[in-house]
């Protein structure tokens, strides 16, 4: 079983839609979690950290469920510029990246 | 403050050739990492370093070597290039383990 798993997508949604991604991790000792965004042919960039209490940054909300070992990312009011691949990351001894979920926001 | 700089951005190698991918950071970060990313796959850790003079293997080290003679530089060496090493290579750095990464812009390597 892969250490961090994500649905690869693609998720094709219209502008203004709400979309949610889930990610599961297998290492229960993982301490920190993040969502990174990666545009086509570019390096990953930090989108947001994920806290047990949940956190929100504008249109983006991240949640962590330690009991079920999954992380979620919710994007409200999708913009064309949100089109990218979203990488789930778990940190235990090292950072472990999921394969990413591709999102396409359509006009 | 340039962050993490990788060179070259693109390279085509023939099977059996060797090359060094350069990575430099100017943030005085202790930790540096090399990852490879294949299509549809997550980033795989090749090697990492926790400080000058200290390196360690990651998940996929075979076919690669690294050195860390200074805090700033962390070059990745391919000795005998193979088609399986065709990938995008990212260097990253962080101040502490578990701290947020800063990535370089990547090197696209094709081995033919």
């Amino acid at each position: 079983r892969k250490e961090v798993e994500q649905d690869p997508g693609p998720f094709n949604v219209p502008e203004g839609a709400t979309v949610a991604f889930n990610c599961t991790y297998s290492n229960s000792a993982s301490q920190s979690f993040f969502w990174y965004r990666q545009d086509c042919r570019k390096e990953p960039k930090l989108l947001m950290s994920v806290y047990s209490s949940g956190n929100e940054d504008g249109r983006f909300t991240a949640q962590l469920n330690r009991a079920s070992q999954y992380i979620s990312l919710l994007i409200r009011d999708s913009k064309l510029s949100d089109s990218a691949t979203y990488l789930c990351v778990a940190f235990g001894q090292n950072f472990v990246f999921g394969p990413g979920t591709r999102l396409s926001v359509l006009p | 403050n340039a962050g993490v700089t990788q060179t070259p951005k693109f390279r085509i190698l023939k099977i059996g050739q060797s090359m060094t991918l350069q990575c430099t950071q100017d943030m005085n970060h202790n930790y540096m990492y090399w990852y490879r990313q294949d299509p549809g796959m997550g980033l795989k850790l090749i090697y990492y370093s926790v400080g000058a003079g200290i390196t360690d293997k990651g998940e996929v080290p075979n076919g690669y070597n690294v050195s860390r003679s200074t805090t700033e530089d962390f070059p990745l060496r391919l000795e005998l290039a193979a088609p399986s090493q065709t990938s995008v290579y990212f260097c990253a750095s962080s101040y502490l383990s578990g701290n947020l990464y800063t990535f370089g812009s990547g090197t696209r390597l094709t081995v033919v």
Side-chain angles (χ1 to χ4, degrees):
Chain A
R1 183 185 171 187
K2 292 181 181 176
E3 202 164 333
V4 177
E5 295 196 69
Q6 297 181 251
D7 181 342
F11 285 61
N12 298 316
V13 302
E15 264 187 295
T18 295
V19 61
F21 308 136
N22 285 332
C23 160
T24 58
Y25 63 95
S26 60
N27 184 358
S28 58
S30 297
Q31 304 155 27
S32 309
F33 305 90
F34 309 91
W35 283 102
Y36 274 73
R37 171 195 169 124
Q38 186 173 25
D39 293 303
C40 188
R41 304 177 79 83
K42 298 283 190 181
E43 73 272 23
K45 293 186 178 177
L46 178 69
L47 178 65
M48 59 197 306
S49 303
V50 186
Y51 305 119
S52 297
S53 55
N55 51 307
E56 189 172 309
D57 183 2
R59 298 181 292 107
F60 299 84
T61 301
Q63 298 274 0
L64 166 63
N65 185 320
R66 285 192 184 272
S68 301
Q69 294 186 201
Y70 80 80
I71 305 143
S72 65
L73 177 68
L74 181 77
I75 305 175
R76 290 180 298 277
D77 189 23
S78 300
K79 311 291 184 191
L80 295 176
S81 57
D82 293 334
S83 297
T85 297
Y86 292 83
L87 308 177
C88 174
V89 185
F91 175 75
Q93 202 168 12
N94 278 314
F95 278 81
V96 180
F97 289 80
T101 297
R102 193 153 61 90
L103 171 66
S104 291
V105 180
L106 308 172
Chain B
N1 189 337
V4 178
T5 302
Q6 287 185 241
T7 56
K9 292 193 183 303
F10 305 94
R11 183 74 186 267
I12 298 174
L13 275 184
K14 293 185 178 179
I15 294 171
Q17 285 186 320
S18 62
M19 76 165 293
T20 299
L21 283 66
Q22 302 290 348
C23 176
T24 299
Q25 53 93 6
D26 62 359
M27 298 171 285
N28 201 33
H29 283 174
N30 295 316
Y31 289 74
M32 295 187 75
Y33 313 83
W34 273 106
Y35 285 87
R36 61 177 286 172
Q37 186 177 35
D38 301 313
M41 307 290 286
L43 284 87
K44 301 293 184 186
L45 183 63
I46 304 171
Y47 271 95
Y48 66 100
S49 168
V50 302
I54 306 169
T55 63
D56 210 345
K57 295 178 180 178
E59 187 182 354
V60 290
N62 291 345
Y64 308 94
N65 277 300
V66 293
S67 60
R68 184 96 182 269
S69 56
T70 66
T71 299
E72 295 78 19
D73 300 308
F74 190 40
L76 177 72
R77 179 85 177 160
L78 283 71
E79 289 295 349
L80 290 169
S84 60
Q85 293 177 304
T86 294
S87 190
V88 180
Y89 291 84
F90 288 104
C91 179
S93 72
S94 64
Y95 184 63
L96 294 172
S97 175
N99 267 187
L100 305 173
Y101 279 16
T102 299
F103 281 92
S105 57
T107 296
R108 292 187 174 277
L109 176 67
T110 302
V111 182
V112 295

